[in-house]
Amino acid sequence: MRLAAHTRRDLVFPSLPGFDDSTVLRALARRIALAGVVDDANSLYDALWEREQLGSTGLGHGVAVPHCKLKKLESVVLAIGWTEQEIDFGALDGRPTRLFFTVLSPVSQPAAHLRCLASISRWLSEPARVERLLRLDRADDILLELESAEDPEPAGA
């Protein structure tokens, strides 16, 4: 799955506010709603928070992938944000998190949801990519970085 195809400039959020998982998810939901992806930031926050309560989406190496499925979406949407300070997001490796890949998918497309999550996991398998993203501060540069090392979809997917 081509990750860059599911995001856009106004879905890249440098300097997210927050000091814990709840405040970061609230900030992400508010900014995603302001970008027009969803109508209600509170409903989006509730969906992200509900998913987070099932188990942390903190992958480790400073990265979390909060995600949920929504009824009113037509296609997968990817938002990328990062915090200035490290957040305890309950990551598998116990390390704090700064980089957030937020995946919103239509309820009717569970396979696309899983493909996006798998693509993010493969894309982030190179730790240097996280470091490069965190050094950038312009949305256009983030999108270029995402495109420059795009993860090809595996054969048969």
Side-chain angles (χ1 to χ4, degrees), residues 35 44 52 58 67 74 79 103 128:
L44 176 55
E52 204 62 37
H67 58 275
E74 293 183 18
V103 177

Side-chain angles (χ1 to χ4, degrees), residues 6-45:
H6 296 284
T7 193
R8 56 187 199 234
R9 188 179 199 293
D10 63 339
L11 292 172
V12 177
F13 312 125
S15 301
L16 282 170
F19 52 88
D20 63 12
D21 52 359
S22 177
T23 57
V24 170
L25 290 177
R26 220 173 262 293
L28 283 163
R30 190 170 38 255
R31 291 183 183 192
I32 291 168
L34 285 172
V37 174
V38 297
D39 295 331
D40 182 15
N42 290 326
S43 294
L44 176 55
Y45 166 77

Side-chain angles (χ1 to χ4, degrees), residues 2 8 25 31-33 35 47 51 58 82 89 92 106-107 149-150:
R2 311 234 6 117
R8 56 187 199 234
L25 290 177
R31 291 183 183 192
I32 291 168
R51 169 55 191 89
W82 60 98
F89 214 78
L92 298 174
V107 170
E150 191 66 71

Side-chain angles (χ1 to χ4, degrees), residues 24-91:
V24 170
L25 290 177
R26 220 173 262 293
L28 283 163
R30 190 170 38 255
R31 291 183 183 192
I32 291 168
L34 285 172
V37 174
V38 297
D39 295 331
D40 182 15
N42 290 326
S43 294
L44 176 55
Y45 166 77
D46 289 344
L48 290 169
W49 183 249
E50 182 179 321
R51 169 55 191 89
E52 204 62 37
Q53 297 313 295
L54 297 175
S56 175
T57 58
L59 296 181
H61 303 288
V63 178
V65 185
H67 58 275
C68 64
K69 297 173 190 163
L70 303 171
K71 291 180 182 175
K72 294 184 179 182
L73 282 183
E74 293 183 18
S75 62
V76 174
V77 174
L78 173 63
I80 304 166
W82 60 98
T83 58
E84 293 298 321
Q85 66 182 46
E86 297 176 329
I87 306 293
D88 179 2
F89 214 78

Side-chain angles (χ1 to χ4, degrees), residues 11 16 26 35 58 62 73 95 102 107 114 124 136 141 143 149 156:
L11 292 172
L16 282 170
R26 220 173 262 293
L73 282 183
R95 292 174 53 191
T102 305
V107 170
L114 293 175
L124 294 170
L136 300 173
D141 294 336
L143 294 174

